[in-house]
Amino acid sequence: MREYIIADNQDITKAGLMFLLSRQKEVSLLLEADNKAELIKELRLHPDAVVVLDYTLFDFGGAEELIVLHERFKEADWLLFSDELSLNFLRQVLFIDTAFSVVMKDNSKEEITMALQCVSRKERFICNHASNMLLTGNTVPATVAIQDDHLLTPSEKLILKEIALGKTTKEIAAEKNLSFHTINSHRKNIFRKLGVNNVHEATKYAMRAGIVDLAEYYI
């Protein structure tokens, strides 16, 4: 029997995972974490739990910080569960320890269920999408993205600037009179095009590309 920590701040995702996990016999406890601080708090109480984490939604400084967290809680198993993860990130994390598994949010229910079951048994699971990325190297490196001035549309650059200045998806949607779903879709497209996984990495791109300057950032 395993304890699970669902580290994701999207309500619909948490509800879906709760449903799938509630049907599995090997689950003894279901816990939630909406941010990194809550995740660490739960890991202190349940250091050998299975962590189902959407890395892109939490404020990790990079893959290295996630790896350090794993080193701190060596008995935990990690299932990375996101819309999109960059090839560089997957290489960094998956090649360093077998405690990390990966499945994507747009995978089938059967593949997601299989991932949850494998991780519960301490068996590594890598979904077909991630496997293909690792085999073919089919992604857009961030270094290339910075050189391509036409990679993002003007609208995406404006939204990236707001993200880099620390505004939430909800705040950006309200200011631009657009739906949360529309801004969230833009955000996913921006991260995918840049080959980044989180706000920290996107902000570094925005500053290097001149989309936001240091004076503006530290106001």
Side-chain angles (χ1 to χ4, degrees):
M1 300 287 282
R2 301 293 303 273
E3 299 163 333
Y4 277 76
I5 302 171
I6 300 174
D8 194 305
N9 54 32
Q10 292 180 329
D11 290 338
I12 190 64
T13 301
K14 287 190 290 187
L17 286 170
M18 287 285 188
F19 172 75
L20 291 177
L21 288 168
S22 67
R23 305 177 72 184
Q24 296 193 30
K25 295 178 181 179
E26 62 269 26
V27 178
S28 64
L29 183 64
L30 288 174
L31 304 157
E32 297 180 31
D34 288 336
N35 53 57
K36 188 170 62 179
E38 289 183 11
L39 172 58
I40 293 171
K41 178 182 176 182
E42 293 296 349
L43 278 169
R44 285 176 180 152
L45 297 172
H46 311 278
D48 58 349
V50 174
V51 181
V52 185
L53 170 68
D54 189 336
Y55 169 84
T56 65
L57 297 179
F58 279 22
D59 56 338
F60 284 100
E64 296 83 3
E65 187 178 354
L66 177 59
I67 292 166
V68 168
L69 188 59
H70 163 61
E71 288 296 319
R72 183 176 171 187
F73 300 100
K74 286 183 176 292
E75 298 304 312
D77 291 290
W78 302 77
L79 178 60
L80 304 172
F81 185 52
S82 299
D83 287 306
E84 195 69 38
L85 292 168
S86 71
L87 177 60
N88 288 339
F89 172 80
L90 289 174
R91 283 174 172 165
Q92 280 183 274
V93 174
L94 295 180
F95 291 171
I96 202 162
D97 200 297
T98 57
F100 289 103
S101 296
V102 61
V103 69
M104 311 309 293
K105 288 186 176 180
D106 62 356
N107 286 155
S108 66
K109 183 178 73 174
E110 290 73 23
E111 193 166 11
I112 294 170
T113 300
M114 187 181 300
L116 293 168
Q117 292 171 344
C118 286
V119 177
S120 178
R121 298 191 296 265
K122 288 190 169 292
E123 298 173 3
R124 166 172 275 195
F125 183 92
I126 300 177
C127 69
N128 290 330
H129 175 76
S131 296
N132 289 335
M133 282 181 64
L134 292 166
L135 289 170
T136 64
N138 186 22
T139 190
V140 181
T143 53
V144 175
I146 292 170
Q147 297 170 0
D148 187 350
D149 197 37
H150 302 290
L151 193 64
L152 300 180
T153 67
S155 295
E156 287 171 341
K157 287 181 180 178
L158 289 173
I159 291 170
L160 174 58
K161 180 177 180 178
E162 300 300 318
I163 292 171
L165 292 174
K167 295 181 182 178
T168 66
T169 302
K170 186 176 181 180
E171 289 171 339
I172 298 170
E175 288 181 6
K176 297 188 176 299
N177 291 319
L178 295 170
S179 71
F180 177 93
H181 175 74
T182 298
I183 298 300
N184 198 42
S185 295
H186 279 304
R187 176 189 170 115
K188 291 177 182 177
N189 287 334
I190 290 167
F191 282 24
R192 175 180 54 80
K193 287 181 178 181
L194 300 184
V196 302
N197 297 294
N198 55 34
V199 171
H200 177 78
E201 293 172 355
T203 299
K204 287 197 296 185
Y205 171 91
M207 294 174 75
R208 289 197 300 264
I211 293 172
V212 61
D213 59 43
L214 284 171
E216 211 171 6
Y217 183 70
Y218 286 110
I219 288 175

